Amino acid sequence: PDARADPRFAGNALVTGHPDMRFYAGVPLMTREGHALGSLCVIDKAAREIAPDQVSALQALGRQLMVILESRLQKAQIME
């Protein structure tokens, strides 16, 4: 909720400098095989709480993004 107040992130350059991040929420982008590609995240300059329905929405967006990425990969493989 507040990266400046969290000892794990308080010294991070993204918190102490540009973009002055205070809030972070993210979900991993995982392939069907279990490989992590990265994360889909939201950040803000203001500290805030995330509601359970917002967490669910972020997770759903992450799943949908993986469907799109894997579909594009399949299409590219077919075109080869």
Side-chain angles (χ1 to χ4, degrees), residues 2-58:
D2 187 349
R4 288 185 192 168
D6 189 318
R8 297 172 297 169
F9 305 106
N12 186 294
L14 296 173
V15 176
T16 61
H18 183 74
D20 303 313
M21 184 175 71
R22 298 271 314 265
F23 171 81
Y24 173 91
V27 293
L29 298 175
M30 306 289 292
T31 66
R32 289 183 211 153
E33 294 80 22
H35 301 288
L37 298 182
S39 63
L40 174 65
C41 62
V42 292
I43 64 171
D44 199 343
K45 291 183 177 191
R48 61 181 67 249
E49 296 289 329
I50 186 168
D53 62 324
Q54 293 171 314
V55 172
S56 295
L58 187 58

